[in-house]
């Protein structure tokens, strides 16, 4: 699909549509939707902003590319004055006092926020079922899960309720639902976009990630949100990715793939066949393909979850009804904390907090947590070596197709394993893009750290190749 | 208070027990062999250099931000937000 942002920009400039009509049309689609993709509709704010855009156009003033473009926001981002619930009971009445840097940059560029989107509570899940707003339904087949944790964001883009949405990716939370709903979803290099105002899940892997229907729209939104931010000292300065730079695949001579991702029993037969067919098409274009060896999936998943749980136990310790959250009074302060947290967290969130406290506690930290950190270093080292041999790593997004709604909740271990192909790149803090091509749940394109441009470039090349 | 705390106390979650699904993940880590056993020997961290720390300046909170904070914590006494008493043990 061509860029929706460019198309709407032209329509607004040519006065083919008014911004108010466009926003109203999208709100009318979002309001009655049965996919459970909406937590809060920002209708008053959106219409007020749309009127301002229309006034500028009427006066003959020019507007920026993103001005008037409707977008959605995963309900884990602070947007001043709007409810930010993280799809949880604990924060169901919480209102953001400030705005996340990434979102502020989009607002400054004139984009119009329509909706706070449903997701797994605090990003805890791979199906968007762990939410107080009802399981998000898959855009292609509503009997299936939308994927998680940014399920609402992916569905809204897939159904064209929003032109783009901002999800959050920790272990695959943008890439996996993008794959399940046949749209593009990018996890940029860690630190390229400020995390300030994104509710912390696992701080060392959390990334702001755009979801859209075209590579060009991903590029536009990525450029606007990127940059060093004094409020997040893990951010770094990055250069803008130009449109022209994506039109050539020069510089991509060798593509690698992990043999053990493909040659194992856990992968769906059709996904494997389709992936290998895509590899053959790439070869036929004169690009060398190299098989790579990597950690087996269970080690990747276990390393990721061990570290992510440790970080989430620490990050969510502030949610006790005193500092933040829906307080439930009890006999004394300690009891109040315990009752508040017991009643308000989802089962999955509690499982992760308890797991995190286990690995951080005396007697376990050396054996599990520190070893997990050492494994992460080895994984990063492996990636570094791989990218001396290949320019791009290609992989399926998931080993299997989306499960039916309800199935993941019965088997948490199986849900953790559904992230097998996404979590490794998160641990390496590498830029990775899901494209809606190649297999039933898409393909992932990964490059070395800070090489987000190469990822988009290769995606553009694959658009016409497979 | 005992120095050894159970996970339900550590997590402030009543009756919380370690889960079988999560323990399976930990077992994999226990049996894995990293090539580098010293996790502090890496150069790919995201620390900020001392030269690059942000200035220590006080920024006044905006009126709307203050108002929203008050809305999030509706209890007050003599115009002050109510702060819970400190645990004394």
């Amino acid at each position: 699909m061509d860029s929706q942002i460019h198309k709407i920009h032209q329509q607004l400039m040519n006065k083919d549509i008014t911004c108010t009509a466009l926003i109203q049309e999208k709100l009318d689609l979002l309001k009655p939707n049965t996919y459970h993709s909406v937590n809060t509709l920002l209708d008053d704010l959106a219409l007020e902003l749309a009127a301002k855009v229309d006034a500028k156009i009427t006066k003959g003033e020019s507007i920026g590319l993103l001005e008037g473009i409707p977008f959605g926001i995963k309900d884990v981002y602070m947007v001043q004055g709007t409810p930010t619930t993280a799809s949880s009971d604990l924060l169901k009445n919480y209102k953001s006092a400030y705005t996340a840097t990434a979102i502020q940059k989009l607002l400054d560029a004139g984009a119009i926020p329509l909706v706070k989107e449903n997701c797994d509570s605090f990003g805890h899940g791979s199906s968007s079922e762990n939410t107080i707003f009802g399981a998000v339904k898959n855009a292609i087949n509503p009997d299936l899960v939308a994927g998680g944790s940014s399920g609402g964001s992916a569905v809204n883009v897939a159904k064209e309720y929003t032109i783009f949405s901002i999800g959050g990716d920790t272990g695959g939370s943008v890439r996996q639902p993008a794959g399940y709903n046949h749209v593009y979803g990018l996890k940029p290099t860690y630190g390229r976009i400020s995390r300030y105002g994104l509710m912390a899940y696992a701080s060392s892997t959390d990334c702001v990630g755009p979801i859209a229907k075209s590579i060009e729209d991903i590029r536009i939104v990525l450029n606007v949100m990127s940059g060093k931010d004094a409020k997040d000292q893990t951010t770094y300065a990055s250069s803008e990715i130009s449109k022209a730079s994506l039109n050539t695949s020069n510089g991509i001579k060798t593509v690698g793939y992990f043999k053990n991702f493909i040659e194992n029993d856990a992968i769906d037969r059709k996904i494997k066949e389709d992936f290998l067919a895509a590899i053959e098409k790439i070869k036929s274009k004169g690009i060398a393909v190299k098989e790579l060896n990597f950690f087996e999936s269970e080690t990747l998943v276990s390393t990721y979850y061990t570290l992510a749980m440790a970080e989430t136990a620490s990050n969510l310790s502030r949610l006790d009804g005193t500092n933040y959250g829906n307080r439930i009074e009890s006999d004394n302060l300690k009891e109040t904390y315990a009752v508040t947290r017991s009643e308000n967290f989802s089962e999955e969130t509690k499982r992760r907090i308890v797991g995190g406290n286990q690995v951080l506690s005396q007697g376990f930290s050396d054996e599990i947590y520190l070893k997990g950190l050492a494994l992460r270093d080895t994984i990063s080292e492996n990636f570094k070596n791989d990218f001396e041999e290949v320019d791009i790593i290609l992989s399926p997004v998931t080993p299997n197709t989306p499960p039916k709604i309800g199935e993941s909740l019965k088997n948490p271990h199986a849900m953790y394993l559904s992230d097998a192909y996404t979590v490794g790149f998160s641990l390496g803090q590498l830029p990775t893009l899901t494209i809606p091509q190649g297999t039933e749940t898409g393909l992932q394109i990964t490059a070395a750290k800070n090489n987000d441009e190469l990822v988009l470039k290769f995606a553009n090349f694959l658009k016409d190749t497979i | 208070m005992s120095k050894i705390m159970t996970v339900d106390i550590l997590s402030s979650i009543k009756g919380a027990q370690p889960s079988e699904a999560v323990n399976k993940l930990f077992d994999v880590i226990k049996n894995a062999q990293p090539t580098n056993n010293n996790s502090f020997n890496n150069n790919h961290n995201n620390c900020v250099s001392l030269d690059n720390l942000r200035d220590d300046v006080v920024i006044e909170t905006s009126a709307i931000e203050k108002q929203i904070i008050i809305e999030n914590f509706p209890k007050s006494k003599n115009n002050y937000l109510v702060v819970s008493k400190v645990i004394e043990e």
Side-chain angles (χ1 to χ4, degrees), chain A residues 109-412:
Chain A
I112 297 183
L114 293 184
V115 53
K116 299 297 274 295
E117 297 165 321
N118 200 357
C119 56
D120 280 302
S121 186
F122 298 105
H124 294 163
S126 309
S127 63
S128 290
E129 293 171 287
N130 298 296
T131 155
I132 62 165
F133 295 98
V136 185
K137 296 177 185 175
N138 189 291
I140 319 295
N141 176 353
D143 293 333
L144 308 180
V145 303
S149 60
S150 311
S153 308
V155 168
N156 285 339
V157 170
K159 300 298 295 181
E160 298 185 13
Y161 300 156
T162 60
I163 301 305
F164 65 92
S165 283
I166 305 303
D169 192 309
T170 305
S173 291
V174 159
R175 291 164 285 155
Q176 195 244 45
Y180 279 2
N181 294 285
H182 302 184
V183 292
Y184 290 90
L186 174 69
K187 186 196 85 62
T189 303
Y190 178 81
R192 187 182 180 98
I193 302 176
S194 171
R195 287 179 292 114
Y196 178 75
L198 162 61
M199 221 176 270
Y201 160 20
S203 312
S204 74
T205 38
D206 286 342
C207 288
V208 177
I211 299 172
K213 281 197 138 177
S214 74
I215 300 160
E216 172 63 1
D217 289 349
I218 293 276
R219 183 193 71 85
I220 294 166
V221 176
L222 174 69
N223 278 340
V224 169
M225 293 193 296
S226 298
K228 191 156 177 58
D229 179 18
K231 292 169 180 167
D232 173 1
Q233 299 228 331
T234 58
T235 50
Y236 65 92
S238 54
S239 51
E240 189 165 311
I241 299 170
S242 72
K243 189 177 181 182
S245 72
L246 304 190
N247 289 333
T248 162
S249 62
N250 290 349
I252 302 167
K253 304 272 183 265
T254 314
V255 170
Y257 74 92
F258 294 123
K259 206 168 51 175
N260 56 317
F261 276 12
I262 307 305
E263 291 171 7
N264 69 40
D265 298 336
I267 190 170
D268 176 87
R269 190 175 54 84
K270 182 80 168 54
I271 288 183
K272 177 179 174 172
E273 281 172 11
D274 290 347
F275 178 80
L276 292 172
I279 289 287
E280 287 307 314
K281 285 180 188 161
I282 291 166
K283 275 186 194 166
S284 72
K285 293 286 176 183
I287 291 178
V289 173
K290 199 173 166 58
E291 290 179 348
L292 303 167
N293 290 311
F294 200 34
F295 283 73
E296 40 87 29
S297 304
E298 288 244 7
T299 308
L300 286 174
V301 169
S302 298
T303 305
Y304 165 74
Y305 275 104
T306 296
L307 302 180
M309 285 182 191
E311 291 183 34
T312 206
S314 170
N315 279 326
L316 296 196
S317 64
R318 76 194 77 173
L319 300 177
D320 55 17
T322 299
N323 292 309
Y324 299 98
N326 178 42
R327 184 184 180 95
I328 300 173
E329 296 287 352
S330 190
D331 300 343
N332 54 51
L333 190 60
K334 272 169 69 178
E335 272 295 295
T336 297
Y337 286 166
V339 174
T340 295
R341 288 166 66 81
S342 303
E343 299 290 318
N344 283 315
F345 279 133
S346 73
E347 286 309 308
E348 183 56 36
T349 294
K350 285 193 268 193
R351 191 159 32 239
R352 293 182 188 205
I353 290 174
V354 169
N357 282 314
Q358 266 179 278
V359 296
L360 292 174
S361 64
Q362 197 177 8
F364 287 93
S365 64
D366 290 6
E367 194 182 19
I368 304 175
Y369 180 65
L370 293 183
K371 200 162 167 193
L373 285 176
L375 280 166
R376 180 184 193 156
D377 287 348
T378 312
I379 289 164
S380 291
E381 196 65 34
N382 266 36
F383 281 131
K384 208 172 145 199
N385 296 337
D386 287 339
F387 283 115
E388 281 168 13
E389 294 184 37
V390 303
D391 306 302
I392 287 286
I393 292 173
L394 198 65
S395 51
V397 180
T398 60
N400 294 99
T401 52
K404 283 192 173 163
I405 289 175
E407 279 179 4
S408 298
L409 297 175
K410 289 181 215 154
N411 189 347

Side-chain angles (χ1 to χ4, degrees), chain A residues 80-81 93-98 190 204 228 230-234 295-296 298-299 301-303 305-306 309 321-325 327 329 332-335 337-339 341-342 345 350-359 361-362 364 367-378 380-381 412-413 416 429 449, chain B residues 1 3-49 52-55 59 61-73 75 82-89:
Chain A
Q80 192 174 64
N93 298 318
Y94 185 73
K95 202 195 250 189
S96 304
Y98 64 99
Y190 178 81
S204 74
K228 191 156 177 58
K231 292 169 180 167
D232 173 1
Q233 299 228 331
T234 58
F295 283 73
E296 40 87 29
E298 288 244 7
T299 308
V301 169
S302 298
T303 305
Y305 275 104
T306 296
M309 285 182 191
T322 299
N323 292 309
Y324 299 98
R327 184 184 180 95
E329 296 287 352
N332 54 51
L333 190 60
K334 272 169 69 178
E335 272 295 295
Y337 286 166
V339 174
R341 288 166 66 81
S342 303
F345 279 133
K350 285 193 268 193
R351 191 159 32 239
R352 293 182 188 205
I353 290 174
V354 169
N357 282 314
Q358 266 179 278
V359 296
S361 64
Q362 197 177 8
F364 287 93
E367 194 182 19
I368 304 175
Y369 180 65
L370 293 183
K371 200 162 167 193
L373 285 176
L375 280 166
R376 180 184 193 156
D377 287 348
T378 312
S380 291
E381 196 65 34
H413 191 70
Y416 301 146
Q429 305 187 328
K449 256 187 186 180
Chain B
M1 189 186 291
K3 282 188 179 173
I4 304 288
M5 286 193 275
T6 54
V7 284
D8 58 331
I9 301 287
L10 275 173
S11 310
S12 288
I13 293 170
K14 292 176 90 65
Q17 294 290 327
S19 105
E20 199 185 318
V22 172
N23 283 342
K24 275 190 203 169
L25 302 174
F26 296 158
D27 287 340
V28 174
I29 298 280
K30 284 181 198 169
N31 298 323
Q33 295 301 325
T35 54
N36 169 13
N37 271 315
N38 185 349
S39 60
F40 301 106
N41 266 348
N42 64 73
N43 289 318
H44 48 82
N45 53 44
N46 293 88
C47 295
V48 182
S49 77
N52 202 19
L53 292 177
R54 71 180 184 214
D55 293 335
I59 300 166
T61 305
S62 67
I64 184 165
E65 197 167 333
K66 284 179 188 167
Q67 182 54 41
I68 293 170
I69 291 168
I70 292 167
E71 281 177 41
N72 281 323
F73 298 95
K75 287 188 182 174
V82 173
V83 178
S84 301
K85 65 184 178 188
V86 175
I87 302 175
E88 290 173 5
E89 273 192 30

